[in-house]
């Protein structure tokens, strides 16, 4: 049996049964199974994940007893088979069918005949199957066409209208760029660009943040430049939010939801490694990762501590020049990096989460000295978690003033979907 397809199958099956992250699951399976073509495995896994609801829309027309009663094993195999037939030009049709049937014999013998029948039927009838474009209901149409859970589809249609929602969904399905923040404590963007160029790695400047580069090449995290701490992985939107905060040497900054540490690192770097950055999170393991990366980057002003951002630490009241409040969110801005987010059920369009986000903002705002600045940010595209939270905060805190806010978009600036807002504590 083909080891590459088997690795993809194990990854997709585990994703179907658990709520694990695709990148972690895929890397684990590749490490254990050692497929001969990890690139093929990645293409197949991400292709199926990105198109899951569209594939199901077609399968629903082909599986006589419907998909609801189908076990995860034959369901995953059918998605993989149809995906190869439709989207993988490098795979001949006979191989897509035969390899899937071989796997069916091993992993769900009782459904081999059905799987063989469905795939062959698909080959015969693919031109005549109903397509999402023919659905009258826009939620049904967009949800199936772009493979987004109906709750997200409805949310974006309500907030952006059909044209912009469609372009946002299409951009969210593209392969994301690999972007890194240059560690200006050790090098400059131009110096790093030239050094990487000598290794055959192309580096392009970002339009959104002057110290962010997009890299094109393989094994980027195995490079000596990475080990030496010349860069860390970060999206330009994330970097831009800290740049807007303008941390200065000698400042005291509190980063209340800090892991994996990206924004704390930008702060420390802009502060030229002088002053103090307090980086908090609720997970001990994540704090260890911040410390490890800070050492690699040559940063020694970051102090980590376990802390629940919803609860006030009275000893910190009015101690910070700047505060970063990068709250947990629905993550709708990063589906191109984690396609599984497209299928996560979230209650009340994120309103429950927005209560927690407001609580965190309310608590962390107390840490600011008078005249200090706070950044509230999320990696999501959802007014309820973004502008509405800030609006509610300002209603109850007349001592704060909005300086500016920005919603970056994959279909606009080409960054992850990222929101940030800068507020000043007047008195
Ligand atoms: C969006 S991520 C932060 C990303 C980080 N600022 C960066 O730029 O690398 C949100 C973080 O908040 C943490 N978190 C969730 N709930 C929290 C809470 N109540 N208090 C503190 N941290 C929390 C999560 O563990 C997660 O690491």
């Amino acid at each position: 049996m083909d080891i590459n397809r088997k690795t993809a199958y194990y990854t997709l099956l585990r994703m179907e049964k658990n709520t694990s992250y695709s990148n972690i699951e895929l890397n684990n399976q590749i490490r254990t199974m050692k497929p001969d073509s990890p690139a093929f495995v990645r293409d197949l896994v991400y292709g199926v994940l990105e198109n899951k609801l569209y594939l199901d829309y077609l399968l629903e027309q082909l599986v006589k007893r419907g998909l609801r009663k189908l076990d995860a094993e034959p369901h995953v195999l059918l998605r993989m088979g149809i995906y190869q037939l439709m989207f993988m030009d490098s795979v001949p049709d006979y191989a897509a069918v035969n390899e899937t049937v071989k796997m069916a014999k091993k992993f769900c013998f009782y459904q081999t005949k059905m799987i063989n029948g469905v795939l062959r039927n698909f080959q015969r009838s693919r031109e005549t199957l109903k397509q999402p474009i023919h659905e009258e209901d826009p939620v049904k149409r967009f949800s199936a066409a772009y493979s987004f859970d109906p709750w997200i589809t409805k949310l974006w249609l309500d907030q952006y209208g059909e044209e912009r929602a469609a372009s946002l969904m299409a951009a969210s399905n593209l392969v994301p760029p690999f972007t890194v923040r240059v560690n200006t404590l050790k090098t400059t963007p131009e110096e790093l660009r030239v050094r990487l160029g000598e290794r055959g790695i192309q580096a392009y400047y970002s339009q959104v943040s002057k110290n962010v580069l997009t890299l094109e090449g393989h094994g980027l995290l195995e490079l000596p430049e990475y080990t030496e701490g010349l860069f860390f992985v970060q999206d330009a939107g994330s970097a831009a939010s800290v740049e807007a905060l303008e941390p200065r040497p000698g400042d005291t900054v509190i980063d209340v939801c800090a892991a994996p540490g990206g924004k704390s690192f930008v702060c420390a770097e802009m502060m030229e490694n002088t002053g103090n950055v307090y980086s908090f999170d609720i997970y001990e393991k994540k704090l260890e990762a911040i410390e490890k990366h800070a050492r690699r980057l040559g940063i020694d002003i970051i102090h980590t501590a376990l802390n629940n951002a919803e609860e006030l630490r009275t000893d910190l009241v009015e101690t910070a020049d700047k505060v970063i409040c990068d709250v947990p969110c629905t993550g709708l801005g990063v589906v191109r990096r984690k396609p599984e987010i497209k299928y996560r059920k979230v209650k009340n369009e994120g309103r429950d989460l927005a209560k927690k986000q407001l609580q965190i903002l309310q608590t962390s705002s107390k840490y600011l000295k008078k005249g200090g600045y706070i950044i509230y940010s999320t990696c999501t595209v959802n007014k309820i978690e973004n502008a509405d939270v800030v609006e509610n905060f300002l209603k109850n805190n007349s001592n704060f003033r909005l300086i500016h806010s920005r919603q970056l978009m994959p279909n606009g600036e080409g960054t992850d979907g990222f929101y940030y807002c800068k507020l000043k504590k007047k008195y």
Side-chain angles (χ1 to χ4, degrees), residues 256-257 280-284 286-287 305-309 356:
V256 295
C257 296
F280 300 149
D281 207 276
I282 35 165
Y283 297 108
E284 185 79 53
K286 291 191 178 186
L287 293 177
L306 211 53
N307 187 53
N308 182 349
K356 180 176 176 162

Side-chain angles (χ1 to χ4, degrees), residues 143-369:
S143 172
Y146 296 102
S147 278
F148 275 79
D149 192 276
W151 86 264
I152 307 172
T153 312
K154 183 170 178 322
L155 181 86
W156 283 355
L157 283 171
D158 289 347
Q159 295 186 358
Y160 291 101
E162 287 199 7
E163 201 175 315
R164 288 180 72 198
S167 123
L168 175 56
M169 287 178 169
S172 302
N173 281 342
L174 297 176
V175 177
F178 186 87
T179 51
V180 300
R181 165 88 187 183
V182 179
N183 179 7
T184 53
L185 294 174
K186 294 194 174 191
T187 186
T188 64
E190 189 51 22
E191 225 173 66
L192 181 63
R193 198 186 66 79
V194 170
R195 241 181 103 166
L196 293 175
E198 283 162 9
R199 296 189 187 280
I201 290 158
Q202 298 299 316
Y204 304 96
Y205 282 101
S206 153
Q207 303 292 316
V208 173
S209 165
K210 67 178 191 318
N211 290 328
V212 168
L213 297 173
T214 295
L215 306 188
E216 280 179 10
H218 294 290
L220 299 168
L221 299 184
E222 275 105 57
L223 292 169
E225 286 76 9
Y226 179 76
T227 321
E228 284 170 38
L230 304 191
F231 66 84
F232 54 94
V233 178
Q234 186 173 56
D235 188 66
S238 200
S241 70
V242 187
E243 287 161 9
L245 185 63
E246 298 177 279
R248 300 215 174 99
D251 270 351
T252 294
V253 179
I254 300 180
D255 185 355
V256 295
C257 296
K263 293 182 188 65
S264 291
F265 302 149
V266 178
C267 261
E269 193 204 283
M270 290 178 75
M271 290 160 62
E272 295 167 17
N273 209 20
T274 59
N276 289 294
V277 178
Y278 295 96
S279 305
F280 300 149
D281 207 276
I282 35 165
Y283 297 108
E284 185 79 53
K285 271 256 164 287
K286 291 191 178 186
L287 293 177
E288 286 165 21
I290 300 181
E291 286 159 17
K292 190 177 112 194
H293 286 291
R295 277 195 297 278
R296 181 178 63 82
L297 296 165
I299 293 170
D300 47 28
I301 59 163
I302 287 183
H303 317 283
T304 64
L306 211 53
N307 187 53
N308 182 349
E310 288 181 78
E311 293 164 11
L312 184 70
R313 278 221 5 212
T314 48
D315 58 317
L316 295 178
V317 170
E318 297 207 356
T319 58
D321 300 291
K322 274 134 202 175
V323 169
I324 300 174
C325 187
D326 188 32
V327 295
C329 66
T330 47
L332 302 183
V334 293
V335 295
R336 56 187 193 166
R337 300 190 191 278
K338 297 172 182 163
E340 59 277 12
I341 290 176
K342 297 201 291 178
Y343 313 114
R344 254 186 223 154
K345 304 283 179 202
V346 172
K347 279 192 209 137
N348 302 326
E349 301 182 311
R351 280 183 186 80
D352 296 352
L353 205 47
K355 281 188 200 145
K356 180 176 176 162
Q357 292 162 339
L358 179 61
Q359 175 62 32
I360 294 180
L361 175 56
Q362 186 67 47
T363 305
S364 7
S365 69
K366 303 246 183 327
Y367 301 150
L368 270 185
K369 295 176 187 167

Side-chain angles (χ1 to χ4, degrees), residues 33-52:
M33 303 279 294
K34 300 187 177 47
D36 0 291
S37 174
F40 179 90
V41 179
R42 260 173 229 288
D43 285 354
L44 184 50
V45 166
Y46 279 111
V48 169
L49 267 182
E50 251 143 37
N51 293 285
K52 193 164 102 166

